């Protein structure tokens, strides 16, 4: 059973940790994804820029070697021309494969490899074309690229025409030679115009993508920072709430440890601690100690039950707290026994307060259902001015005075002042009790 409980607690703790870190993990994963996406896009754009450079150089080489072949008729120059022309043609085939429906990825891969692109760049070239060909800058670049298809076809046909004319030897017609050479120069110029536009568009698009992805990364980073601030604040508020709740619980437990649960008065433990503190400082003045026992509590309990007895105790506790000073302490010591500590209170004042309490209880009638009960109390008073008096001595003196008050007929105040037989107030007349009944 204990193992299952421990395992369950560990599971809940783990889930709580996951709940705490999951927002951070999500944002970090999102930012990592954005960063990876940014790198992939920039790498693919860079691959197209590099491919364009290879395409443009090969196209110029093709025109160059074909022009040399036109004037020299050497077969080796024609071979170089064919090898150079194969590069832009490979890229053209790759584009056609990607424009098909469905896309022929393998044909596109072969075409890009023929175009002289690095094998590691080919997947990025295919991915960028397939999924971003509708983006404005890439769409314009593809348009410029496609515009060279007729020129490539013409250059290819041009090579075959020149080759066929050179089968029978060098071209002797100077005008014909100038015409062919001039057309090759025009083709080269047209190629250059489209290649420059292609490169310019890719450059602008690359810069735009860089700015866009940078902004996205900044927003993601700002989101992560705000989430961190929010989460940290939330944790701090939770911690503060927990500390407040813990402090409140400590205060509640401390209150429960020092107060009576029924009446809300201080309990015996708090009473004795306060009395000890007062005894330690009695040099500052006299201390009055009053112990009070209710005379009719058992009768109420036995006749009407414990609920009635509890109600009586609560009403008596409120009566005892009336007109008390800010430093006075009223406590329920247990059962129907109450105690009062009166700091810096002279003996005469202490006795006067005890008498007023007795009189208040005498005039008080406790009603329960249709019955009324007279309430009186036996009160013991100890006036302490000696700084050497111990807690036990003070309680014993007040308790002995209270006991003597009970022995002498109850409903009276007995003062412990070295003359234990002095009774300050006698029992009230029976006629008064009868009249109130």
């Amino acid at each position: 059973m204990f193992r299952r409980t421990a395992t369950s607690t560990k599971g809940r703790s783990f889930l709580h940790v996951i709940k705490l870190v999951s927002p951070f993990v999500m944002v970090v994963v999102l930012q990592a994804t954005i960063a990876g996406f940014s790198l992939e896009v920039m790498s693919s754009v860079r691959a197209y820029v590099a491919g364009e450079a290879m395409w443009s150089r090969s196209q110029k080489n093709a025109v160059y070697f074909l022009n040399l072949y036109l004037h020299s008729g050497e077969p080796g120059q024609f071979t170089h021309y064919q090898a150079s022309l194969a590069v832009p043609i490979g890229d053209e085939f790759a584009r056609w494969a990607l424009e098909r429906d469905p896309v022929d990825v393998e044909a596109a891969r072969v075409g890009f490899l023929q175009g002289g692109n690095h094998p590691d760049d080919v997947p990025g070239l295919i991915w960028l074309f397939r999924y971003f060909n509708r983006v404005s800058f890439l769409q314009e670049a593809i348009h410029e690229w496609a515009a060279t298809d007729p020129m490539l076809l013409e250059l290819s046909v041009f090579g075959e025409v020149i080759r066929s004319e050179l089968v029978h030897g060098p071209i002797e017609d100077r005008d014909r030679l100038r015409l062919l050479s001039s057309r090759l120069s025009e083709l080269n110029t047209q190629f250059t115009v489209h290649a420059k536009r292609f490169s310019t568009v890719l450059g602008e698009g690359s810069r735009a993508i860089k700015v866009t992805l940078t902004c996205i990364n900044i927003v993601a980073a700002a989101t992560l920072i705000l989430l961190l601030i929010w989460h940290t604040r939330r944790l701090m508020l939770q911690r503060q709430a927990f500390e407040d709740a813990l402090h409140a619980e400590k205060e509640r437990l401390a209150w429960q440890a020092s107060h009576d649960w029924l009446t809300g008065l201080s309990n015996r433990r708090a009473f004795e601690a306060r009395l000890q503190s007062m005894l330690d400082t009695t040099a500052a003045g006299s201390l009055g100690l009053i112990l009070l026992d209710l005379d009719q509590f058992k009768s109420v309990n036995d006749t009407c039950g414990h609920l009635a007895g509890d109600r009586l105790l609560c009403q008596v506790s409120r009566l005892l707290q009336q007109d008390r000073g800010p430093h006075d302490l009223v406590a329920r010591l247990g059962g129907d026994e109450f105690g009062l500590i009166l700091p810096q209170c002279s003996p005469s004042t202490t006795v006067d307060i005890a008498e007023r309490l007795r009189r208040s209880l005498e005039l008080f009638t406790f009603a329960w259902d249709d019955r009324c009960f007279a309430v009186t109390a036996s009160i013991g008073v100890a006036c302490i001015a000696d700084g050497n008096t111990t807690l036990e001595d003070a309680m014993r003196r007040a308790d002995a005075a209270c006991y003597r008050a009970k022995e002498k007929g109850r409903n009276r105040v007995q003062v412990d002042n070295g003359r234990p037989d002095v009774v300050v107030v006698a029992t009230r007349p029976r006629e008064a009790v009868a009249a109130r009944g």
Side-chain angles (χ1 to χ4, degrees), residues 83-188:
S84 299
L85 187 61
V87 171
I89 290 177
D91 289 334
E92 182 183 42
F93 285 164
R95 192 187 78 248
W96 289 350
L98 293 174
E99 289 174 342
R100 292 176 193 164
D101 189 14
V103 173
D104 191 342
V105 176
E106 182 59 26
R109 188 185 69 81
V110 172
F112 279 129
L113 289 175
Q114 181 181 322
N117 296 283
H118 194 280
D120 292 342
D121 291 337
V122 171
L125 293 170
I126 295 173
W127 173 76
L128 189 65
F129 191 101
R130 289 186 65 183
Y131 299 107
F132 298 93
N133 59 77
R134 299 298 180 186
V135 178
S136 59
F137 84 91
L138 192 57
Q139 192 174 23
E140 187 176 352
I142 293 172
H143 175 74
E144 295 294 337
W145 185 5
T148 63
D149 288 357
M151 302 173 201
L152 281 176
L153 178 60
E154 184 178 354
L155 183 60
S156 179
V157 172
F158 211 122
E160 294 302 323
V161 169
I162 293 175
R163 184 179 187 183
S164 63
E165 291 192 13
L166 291 175
V167 170
H168 304 292
I171 300 174
E172 300 296 340
D173 187 347
R174 297 298 177 183
D175 293 335
R176 176 67 174 169
L177 192 61
R178 279 196 300 272
L179 177 64
L180 294 175
S181 182
S182 175
R183 183 54 189 156
L184 278 175
S185 179
E186 290 175 1
L187 278 176
N188 187 57

Side-chain angles (χ1 to χ4, degrees), residues 9 84-85 99 210 259 431:
T9 302
S84 299
L85 187 61
E99 289 174 342
K210 180 181 177 181
H259 287 76
E431 291 80 8

